[in-house]
Amino acid sequence: MELREKFTPMCFLSALSAGGLAVSFFMYLMFLVPHKGVPMATFDFIYPVILQGNWLSVVSVLAMIFILVFSFLHFKFLIWNTKQFNLFKKTEKFEKLKNSNDEISLMTIPLTYAMTINVCFVIGAVFVPSLWSIVEYMFPFALIAFAVAGYFALKIFFNYLTRILTKGNFDFANNNNLSQMISIFSFAMVSVGFAAPGAMSLNISINAIGIMGSLFFASIAVLLLLIKMTIGFTKMFEKGIAIEASPSLWIIIPILTLLGIAYVRISFGLNHHFNSPLANSSLFTFSTVIVSLQIIFGILGYQVMKKLGYFEEFIEGENRSPVSFALICPGVAFMVFGMFFVNFGLTFNGVIEKYSLSYFLIMLPFMFVQYKTILYFFKLKRKFNF
């Protein structure tokens, strides 16, 4: 199926969503499978757990299956979107897009490819034996990959910003939403990618480069967050929000997750190499603030979309909008950071005991959101016939 003129870069959100769901299932392995001495669960820790034949074995196998399923869908959608985009670039509509507010939607491309790097890292960790023994050789390539994604994100954004500042043709009238924050989402994704080697590498040079790269893109994301939140809400207060763009109210949720994880990783990286002892209490307070903000925006976005009838029109109804896939990212992000909150915020500080009843009860709301997100994902997949 060729869309050509009907294509929009926002279609890349389908691949991004599938990749995010794959990573979300890795959280079960990351936090439930013991991996003493190594910062993340790998095949060498997961395989012995599977052989034990207990409840954790079942959870591990199911998590691995879902990782494979959603990783396959991620690459399938990524290839399809890349082909469609190459055809779309030859159309007149693409030239119009580059001279409008919608030019910012091109940021979904580096955003999605940055997610691809994360998916590849998860697949390698979970399914390749003894990968961790050579991980230090892989970190430089990871830094290069995220640098490339960051370069294209910066190139797209500065082309967009330069055009606006030189021509002054930003359309404020049609900016009564938070869709412009897709650029922040992209920079935050690159930031959290850089933070991984920054947290886990035993080489101080790799560690430092990762932390500097993460802070660079996080700084851009935070600066733009302040600017675009102000502009977006000002116009929404004046005109209300357009129904098709109403899911953009939830885009702050994945941005908070990415910046939050970047902060946690940077904190661990500074603790390892920069003689900056990590205060466990800071993880408790910080993760609580992030989850609180996510809940606030989650409730606000849901009530607005329900009031406007978004779910009936674009999820259950006949109308189709690629922006609908923006509903998946917040669900994924809330579950992912929820696992950080439960494990680093609460368990790490002794508030609850790992594997206790209270531990799993607190995880339930985040797991429920993940379940609902998967249902919506497959509804949209059927609707768009991907």
Side-chain angles (χ1 to χ4, degrees), residues 105-126:
S105 65
L106 294 172
M107 295 289 286
T108 56
I109 300 172
L111 168 64
T112 304
Y113 274 94
M115 175 62 80
T116 301
I117 302 168
N118 291 324
V119 172
C120 290
F121 199 77
V122 166
I123 292 172
V126 173

Side-chain angles (χ1 to χ4, degrees), residues 27 31 253-254 256-264 283-284 286-292 294 330-345 366:
M27 292 298 104
F31 292 112
I253 297 175
L256 286 170
T257 286
L258 294 171
L259 293 177
I261 294 174
Y263 170 83
V264 172
L283 294 179
F284 169 69
F286 178 76
S287 62
T288 301
V289 168
I290 294 292
V291 170
S292 300
Q294 290 180 326
V332 168
F334 185 67
M335 183 273 174
V336 168
F337 199 82
M339 294 292 278
F340 275 75
F341 167 69
V342 172
N343 289 277
F344 286 132
F366 302 105

Side-chain angles (χ1 to χ4, degrees), residues 125-147:
V126 173
F127 296 101
V128 179
S130 302
L131 185 69
W132 200 258
S133 63
I134 60 167
V135 74
E136 289 294 339
Y137 298 101
M138 297 174 60
F139 283 144
F141 293 102
L143 290 175
I144 293 170
F146 281 111

